[in-house]
Amino acid sequence: WLKGAGAPKIWPIVQGYNGTGQVSAEEFKRVLEFGLLPPSTGVMPFSAESIAGDTAKLRMLKEVYKN
């Protein structure tokens, strides 16, 4: 905590990788939206290669970030 820096920022990490199960684009979007609920100040997608390689997940990420 830095004096005068204000409240700490909260950015949940959202997994986009299809590890042992399949994460659909809709599930990915829903979790991103939940991650943006207060007190969150943003959201960080995890596993950029998996998201970039999945056009549906990438489309959902762009949609959430634009809103």
Side-chain angles (χ1 to χ4, degrees):
W1 182 263
L2 298 174
K3 186 175 180 178
K9 305 296 183 220
I10 299 173
W11 281 48
I13 298 172
V14 175
Q15 176 73 282
Y17 175 69
N18 296 325
T20 57
Q22 184 71 23
V23 177
S24 73
E26 280 299 323
E27 290 170 320
F28 181 63
K29 179 183 179 190
R30 197 166 37 246
V31 174
L32 286 169
E33 291 170 339
F34 283 134
L36 288 169
L37 294 174
S40 171
T41 57
V43 68
M44 177 63 66
F46 178 70
S47 190
E49 291 177 12
S50 297
I51 298 164
D54 185 325
T55 56
K57 286 182 188 173
L58 190 56
R59 185 175 62 250
M60 294 298 177
L61 179 64
K62 289 177 181 178
E63 184 178 311
V64 169
Y65 272 19
K66 285 182 182 178
N67 294 329

